[in-house]
Amino acid sequence: MTNTTLFQPYTLGPLTLANRIVMAPLTRNRAGAGLVPSALAATYYAQRASAGLIITEATQVSAQAQGYQDTPGLYTQDQVDGWRKVTDAVHARGGRIFAQLWHVGRVSHVDLHGGIAPVAPSAIRAHTKTFVNNGFADVSEPRALEIHELPGIVEDFRRAAANAIAAGFDGVEIHGANGYLLEQFIKDGANQRTDAYGGSIENRARLLLEVTAAVVEQIGADRTGVRISPVSPAGAISSSDPQPQYDYLVEQLDALGIVYLHVVEGATGGSRDVAPFDFDGLRRRFTRTYLVNNGYDLELASARLAEGKADLFAFGRAFISNPDLVERLKTGAPLAALNPATLYGGGAEGYIDYPALTDARAQ
């Protein structure tokens, strides 16, 4: 047991975080022309800079990586310049911010790619939806990636990580969770390959590990995190062997020296019922910062911290409607409810107009 609290500073690699509360990545579908972060994004993230660490909305590493309408990228100079405005605004308020890098793989739609099929480890359609043409639609049938294409995807992540640092980010998080491309390779419900990237536990982990090694080589292990979701069915993903698969994967990620491991416990945005999966076993296998996510409130996070079960705690939707979430948790103030109608797409409403406590009291 420890007397440490969520509100005390924490050392993450070369960074000092103001507290142990992390703003989880939250897709908001508000990027502008060229998939550049909108002018409102700098305000949105700066309003939430009191988080110990902000992890941005998932940001695609290439045009091929896009799966949802109006999500930002990090592969053009205009996008880098747009993100620079965000990082400058967050740093001006004393915050720390990592970019989450993703490739959606099969969770996409032909209308986002000029009629071309999305890519996946195997040509297996996901029974899930994406946000496109201002509404939700079934994802499209993917094509299987050829083995000669995979080095290019590794390179896309490496280049996006370099762009993130050029844009002023403190580091990056590689998105290996929630049913997107890197997890599609990991889990055998989506990966039925027979080459070096399919079949065995080691082969299915290969692409994520190659991406991580490339990013570490590019920007340093102390600026690289990875997110995983071992048992979440998000994106209609499934695995017949999650425990040995993720025990191996986490050991390999630890060996690469990454600064943190971000673990979604249970179903993304849903149940925390994780039995029979042993998440504590992952914690024992990872020797640096262990960040957890899914259904955490102040009471649960404080208890898990006291037990030494995790180091950092990610809060998602609560940060949307409570830009000053840290202060509200610290003082016991009530949390504002979010408006589901303004979660995805649109402009300022439901994005930068949720008041902080001081503003709400003044009103």
Side-chain angles (χ1 to χ4, degrees), residues 85-290:
K85 296 173 184 175
V86 172
T87 61
D88 284 351
V90 169
H91 290 150
R93 294 204 182 180
R96 299 294 190 180
I97 184 167
F98 273 40
Q100 190 190 58
L101 305 181
W102 74 342
H103 190 309
V104 300
R106 67 181 187 170
V107 184
S108 191
H109 194 280
V110 293
D111 285 0
L112 294 168
H113 300 287
I116 297 173
V119 298
S122 302
I124 303 170
R125 188 172 189 162
H127 296 290
T128 190
K129 294 183 182 294
T130 186
F131 186 71
V132 63
N133 302 324
N134 298 313
F136 285 92
D138 291 338
V139 301
S140 300
E141 182 87 21
R143 70 167 179 86
L145 283 157
E146 300 288 343
I147 195 167
H148 67 80
E149 296 178 275
L150 299 182
I153 288 175
V154 174
E155 174 64 14
D156 288 339
F157 275 92
R158 186 204 63 75
R159 185 171 54 247
N163 286 342
I165 300 305
F169 282 102
D170 297 298
V172 306
E173 176 178 285
I174 298 164
H175 198 345
N178 295 2
Y180 298 116
L181 183 69
L182 298 179
E183 188 178 75
Q184 289 160 28
F185 272 85
I186 294 167
K187 293 188 173 178
D188 56 3
N191 182 351
Q192 297 181 6
R193 301 175 74 95
T194 57
D195 60 16
Y197 292 85
S200 69
I201 283 170
E202 294 80 8
N203 282 359
R204 283 183 279 119
R206 191 181 307 278
L207 185 61
L208 174 58
L209 295 175
E210 287 180 348
V211 164
T212 305
V215 171
V216 164
E217 182 181 25
Q218 180 66 41
I219 67 171
D222 59 358
R223 295 190 183 276
T224 304
V226 174
R227 191 185 209 206
I228 59 173
S229 56
V231 298
S232 177
I237 202 80
S238 64
S239 173
S240 65
D241 63 344
Q243 194 75 59
Q245 180 71 63
Y246 279 89
D247 287 350
Y248 169 79
L249 181 66
V250 170
E251 288 171 356
Q252 298 304 306
L253 289 171
D254 189 62
L256 287 170
I258 59 171
V259 75
Y260 73 72
L261 182 68
H262 185 178
V263 182
V264 179
E265 299 173 337
T268 306
S271 171
R272 285 186 49 79
D273 182 9
V274 298
F277 192 89
D278 177 22
F279 279 94
D280 289 341
L282 300 188
R283 166 66 160 164
R284 290 190 297 271
R285 284 174 167 82
F286 192 76
T287 57
R288 281 168 296 281
T289 297
Y290 196 75

